[in-house]
mmCIF file of all heavy atoms in Angstrom:
data_model
loop_
_atom_site.group_PDB
_atom_site.id
_atom_site.type_symbol
_atom_site.label_atom_id
_atom_site.label_comp_id
_atom_site.label_asym_id
_atom_site.label_seq_id
_atom_site.Cartn_x
_atom_site.Cartn_y
_atom_site.Cartn_z
ATOM 1 N N THR A 1001 30.568 14.366 104.426
ATOM 2 C CA THR A 1001 29.200 13.867 104.537
ATOM 3 C C THR A 1001 29.162 12.570 105.323
ATOM 4 O O THR A 1001 28.322 12.372 106.195
ATOM 5 C CB THR A 1001 28.606 13.652 103.133
ATOM 6 O OG1 THR A 1001 28.548 14.893 102.425
ATOM 7 C CG2 THR A 1001 27.203 13.073 103.211
ATOM 8 N N THR A 1002 30.123 11.684 105.034
ATOM 9 C CA THR A 1002 30.196 10.408 105.742
ATOM 10 C C THR A 1002 30.520 10.607 107.208
ATOM 11 O O THR A 1002 29.860 10.071 108.105
ATOM 12 C CB THR A 1002 31.256 9.515 105.091
ATOM 13 O OG1 THR A 1002 30.906 9.258 103.730
ATOM 14 C CG2 THR A 1002 31.383 8.193 105.841
ATOM 15 N N VAL A 1003 31.546 11.406 107.489
ATOM 16 C CA VAL A 1003 31.994 11.601 108.876
ATOM 17 C C VAL A 1003 30.913 12.278 109.706
ATOM 18 O O VAL A 1003 30.591 11.805 110.817
ATOM 19 C CB VAL A 1003 33.295 12.420 108.901
ATOM 20 C CG1 VAL A 1003 33.636 12.833 110.327
ATOM 21 C CG2 VAL A 1003 34.432 11.643 108.299
ATOM 22 N N PHE A 1004 30.336 13.350 109.208
ATOM 23 C CA PHE A 1004 29.371 14.076 110.024
ATOM 24 C C PHE A 1004 28.068 13.313 110.150
ATOM 25 O O PHE A 1004 27.358 13.468 111.146
ATOM 26 C CB PHE A 1004 29.164 15.475 109.450
ATOM 27 C CG PHE A 1004 30.421 16.333 109.533
ATOM 28 C CD1 PHE A 1004 30.830 17.071 108.448
ATOM 29 C CD2 PHE A 1004 31.152 16.372 110.688
ATOM 30 C CE1 PHE A 1004 31.979 17.841 108.496
ATOM 31 C CE2 PHE A 1004 32.300 17.140 110.773
ATOM 32 C CZ PHE A 1004 32.723 17.896 109.685
ATOM 33 N N GLY A 1005 27.770 12.467 109.185
ATOM 34 C CA GLY A 1005 26.636 11.567 109.357
ATOM 35 C C GLY A 1005 26.882 10.582 110.491
ATOM 36 O O GLY A 1005 25.996 10.318 111.325
ATOM 37 N N ALA A 1006 28.112 10.062 110.549
ATOM 38 C CA ALA A 1006 28.494 9.153 111.639
ATOM 39 C C ALA A 1006 28.481 9.889 112.980
ATOM 40 O O ALA A 1006 28.022 9.353 113.989
ATOM 41 C CB ALA A 1006 29.858 8.560 111.389
ATOM 42 N N TYR A 1007 28.965 11.123 112.990
ATOM 43 C CA TYR A 1007 28.965 11.922 114.217
ATOM 44 C C TYR A 1007 27.533 12.141 114.732
ATOM 45 O O TYR A 1007 27.295 12.091 115.944
ATOM 46 C CB TYR A 1007 29.651 13.265 114.015
ATOM 47 C CG TYR A 1007 31.158 13.238 113.951
ATOM 48 C CD1 TYR A 1007 31.867 12.048 114.041
ATOM 49 C CD2 TYR A 1007 31.890 14.433 113.841
ATOM 50 C CE1 TYR A 1007 33.263 12.029 114.002
ATOM 51 C CE2 TYR A 1007 33.286 14.420 113.811
ATOM 52 C CZ TYR A 1007 33.956 13.217 113.877
ATOM 53 O OH TYR A 1007 35.341 13.205 113.836
ATOM 54 N N SER A 1008 26.608 12.378 113.836
ATOM 55 C CA SER A 1008 25.206 12.560 114.233
ATOM 56 C C SER A 1008 24.669 11.281 114.872
ATOM 57 O O SER A 1008 23.955 11.343 115.888
ATOM 58 C CB SER A 1008 24.354 12.964 113.034
ATOM 59 O OG SER A 1008 24.714 14.239 112.581
ATOM 60 N N GLU A 1009 24.982 10.142 114.265
ATOM 61 C CA GLU A 1009 24.559 8.877 114.871
ATOM 62 C C GLU A 1009 25.180 8.655 116.220
ATOM 63 O O GLU A 1009 24.519 8.205 117.177
ATOM 64 C CB GLU A 1009 24.925 7.706 113.939
ATOM 65 C CG GLU A 1009 24.112 7.640 112.658
ATOM 66 C CD GLU A 1009 24.385 6.351 111.868
ATOM 67 O OE1 GLU A 1009 24.391 5.272 112.508
ATOM 68 O OE2 GLU A 1009 24.604 6.437 110.654
ATOM 69 N N LEU A 1010 26.466 8.955 116.344
ATOM 70 C CA LEU A 1010 27.138 8.796 117.635
ATOM 71 C C LEU A 1010 26.571 9.779 118.656
ATOM 72 O O LEU A 1010 26.410 9.414 119.840
ATOM 73 C CB LEU A 1010 28.636 9.051 117.451
ATOM 74 C CG LEU A 1010 29.406 7.983 116.693
ATOM 75 C CD1 LEU A 1010 30.793 8.504 116.271
ATOM 76 C CD2 LEU A 1010 29.552 6.701 117.518
ATOM 77 N N ASP A 1011 26.247 10.988 118.236
ATOM 78 C CA ASP A 1011 25.673 11.964 119.146
ATOM 79 C C ASP A 1011 24.357 11.462 119.723
ATOM 80 O O ASP A 1011 24.094 11.610 120.939
ATOM 81 C CB ASP A 1011 25.479 13.285 118.413
ATOM 82 C CG ASP A 1011 25.285 14.460 119.361
ATOM 83 O OD1 ASP A 1011 26.232 14.735 120.130
ATOM 84 O OD2 ASP A 1011 24.214 15.072 119.347
ATOM 85 N N SER A 1012 23.525 10.866 118.880
ATOM 86 C CA SER A 1012 22.262 10.300 119.345
ATOM 87 C C SER A 1012 22.510 9.124 120.285
ATOM 88 O O SER A 1012 21.842 8.982 121.330
ATOM 89 C CB SER A 1012 21.415 9.853 118.149
ATOM 90 O OG SER A 1012 21.053 10.949 117.322
ATOM 91 N N ARG A 1013 23.457 8.281 119.936
ATOM 92 C CA ARG A 1013 23.773 7.100 120.749
ATOM 93 C C ARG A 1013 24.240 7.514 122.159
ATOM 94 O O ARG A 1013 23.910 6.859 123.143
ATOM 95 C CB ARG A 1013 24.878 6.309 120.063
ATOM 96 C CG ARG A 1013 25.268 5.032 120.786
ATOM 97 C CD ARG A 1013 26.495 4.377 120.156
ATOM 98 N NE ARG A 1013 26.727 3.071 120.718
ATOM 99 C CZ ARG A 1013 26.592 1.911 120.114
ATOM 100 N NH1 ARG A 1013 26.211 1.899 118.827
ATOM 101 N NH2 ARG A 1013 26.822 0.779 120.716
ATOM 102 N N LEU A 1014 24.973 8.631 122.237
ATOM 103 C CA LEU A 1014 25.545 9.039 123.505
ATOM 104 C C LEU A 1014 24.612 9.941 124.329
ATOM 105 O O LEU A 1014 24.981 10.390 125.422
ATOM 106 C CB LEU A 1014 26.856 9.791 123.231
ATOM 107 C CG LEU A 1014 27.990 8.896 122.716
ATOM 108 C CD1 LEU A 1014 29.090 9.731 122.083
ATOM 109 C CD2 LEU A 1014 28.562 8.043 123.849
ATOM 110 N N ALA A 1015 23.419 10.181 123.830
ATOM 111 C CA ALA A 1015 22.478 11.016 124.587
ATOM 112 C C ALA A 1015 22.137 10.392 125.932
ATOM 113 O O ALA A 1015 21.911 11.111 126.910
ATOM 114 C CB ALA A 1015 21.212 11.232 123.763
ATOM 115 N N ASP A 1016 22.106 9.075 126.006
ATOM 116 C CA ASP A 1016 21.731 8.382 127.227
ATOM 117 C C ASP A 1016 22.782 7.363 127.653
ATOM 118 O O ASP A 1016 22.466 6.388 128.361
ATOM 119 C CB ASP A 1016 20.376 7.675 127.050
ATOM 120 C CG ASP A 1016 19.255 8.664 126.765
ATOM 121 O OD1 ASP A 1016 19.023 9.536 127.619
ATOM 122 O OD2 ASP A 1016 18.634 8.586 125.691
ATOM 123 N N SER A 1017 24.005 7.565 127.208
ATOM 124 C CA SER A 1017 25.064 6.626 127.544
ATOM 125 C C SER A 1017 26.363 7.413 127.744
ATOM 126 O O SER A 1017 26.728 8.243 126.903
ATOM 127 C CB SER A 1017 25.245 5.594 126.425
ATOM 128 O OG SER A 1017 26.275 4.692 126.715
ATOM 129 N N ARG A 1018 27.050 7.164 128.833
ATOM 130 C CA ARG A 1018 28.289 7.896 129.090
ATOM 131 C C ARG A 1018 29.349 7.561 128.056
ATOM 132 O O ARG A 1018 30.010 8.439 127.533
ATOM 133 C CB ARG A 1018 28.809 7.584 130.496
ATOM 134 C CG ARG A 1018 30.069 8.394 130.824
ATOM 135 C CD ARG A 1018 30.547 8.156 132.234
ATOM 136 N NE ARG A 1018 31.758 8.939 132.504
ATOM 137 C CZ ARG A 1018 32.480 8.841 133.600
ATOM 138 N NH1 ARG A 1018 32.128 7.998 134.578
ATOM 139 N NH2 ARG A 1018 33.569 9.582 133.744
ATOM 140 N N PHE A 1019 29.492 6.266 127.780
ATOM 141 C CA PHE A 1019 30.455 5.801 126.784
ATOM 142 C C PHE A 1019 29.706 5.003 125.718
ATOM 143 O O PHE A 1019 28.492 4.863 125.777
ATOM 144 C CB PHE A 1019 31.563 4.989 127.448
ATOM 145 C CG PHE A 1019 32.295 5.744 128.531
ATOM 146 C CD1 PHE A 1019 32.325 5.290 129.846
ATOM 147 C CD2 PHE A 1019 32.964 6.940 128.238
ATOM 148 C CE1 PHE A 1019 32.973 6.000 130.846
ATOM 149 C CE2 PHE A 1019 33.618 7.663 129.227
ATOM 150 C CZ PHE A 1019 33.614 7.194 130.529
ATOM 151 N N LEU A 1020 30.423 4.488 124.718
ATOM 152 C CA LEU A 1020 29.749 3.859 123.591
ATOM 153 C C LEU A 1020 28.924 2.632 123.998
ATOM 154 O O LEU A 1020 27.894 2.339 123.391
ATOM 155 C CB LEU A 1020 30.767 3.475 122.514
ATOM 156 C CG LEU A 1020 31.364 4.627 121.727
ATOM 157 C CD1 LEU A 1020 32.407 4.112 120.734
ATOM 158 C CD2 LEU A 1020 30.312 5.456 121.002
ATOM 159 N N LEU A 1021 29.424 1.921 125.004
ATOM 160 C CA LEU A 1021 28.742 0.681 125.406
ATOM 161 C C LEU A 1021 28.379 0.711 126.880
ATOM 162 O O LEU A 1021 28.507 -0.281 127.604
ATOM 163 C CB LEU A 1021 29.620 -0.525 125.098
ATOM 164 C CG LEU A 1021 29.829 -0.785 123.594
ATOM 165 C CD1 LEU A 1021 30.890 -1.849 123.357
ATOM 166 C CD2 LEU A 1021 28.519 -1.177 122.922
ATOM 167 N N GLY A 1022 27.912 1.883 127.351
ATOM 168 C CA GLY A 1022 27.466 1.970 128.725
ATOM 169 C C GLY A 1022 28.353 2.854 129.558
ATOM 170 O O GLY A 1022 28.906 3.859 129.086
ATOM 171 N N ASP A 1023 28.539 2.482 130.834
ATOM 172 C CA ASP A 1023 29.265 3.337 131.775
ATOM 173 C C ASP A 1023 30.721 2.970 131.925
ATOM 174 O O ASP A 1023 31.429 3.553 132.766
ATOM 175 C CB ASP A 1023 28.596 3.259 133.158
ATOM 176 C CG ASP A 1023 27.238 3.956 133.180
ATOM 177 O OD1 ASP A 1023 27.037 4.861 132.360
ATOM 178 O OD2 ASP A 1023 26.394 3.589 134.021
ATOM 179 N N ASN A 1024 31.204 2.007 131.146
ATOM 180 C CA ASN A 1024 32.600 1.578 131.239
ATOM 181 C C ASN A 1024 33.356 1.818 129.942
ATOM 182 O O ASN A 1024 32.816 1.584 128.867
ATOM 183 C CB ASN A 1024 32.663 0.093 131.629
ATOM 184 C CG ASN A 1024 32.030 -0.181 132.978
ATOM 185 O OD1 ASN A 1024 32.342 0.483 133.973
ATOM 186 N ND2 ASN A 1024 31.111 -1.135 133.030
ATOM 187 N N VAL A 1025 34.586 2.259 130.045
ATOM 188 C CA VAL A 1025 35.436 2.483 128.884
ATOM 189 C C VAL A 1025 35.808 1.123 128.266
ATOM 190 O O VAL A 1025 36.217 0.213 128.995
ATOM 191 C CB VAL A 1025 36.703 3.255 129.254
ATOM 192 C CG1 VAL A 1025 37.620 3.403 128.043
ATOM 193 C CG2 VAL A 1025 36.343 4.618 129.828
#
Side-chain angles (χ1 to χ4, degrees):
T1001 298
T1002 299
V1003 170
F1004 295 133
Y1007 283 4
S1008 293
E1009 290 189 46
L1010 289 165
D1011 198 62
S1012 296
R1013 182 188 189 111
L1014 291 163
D1016 297 301
S1017 179
R1018 183 177 180 186
F1019 303 120
L1020 289 178
L1021 293 171
D1023 289 335
N1024 298 309
V1025 176

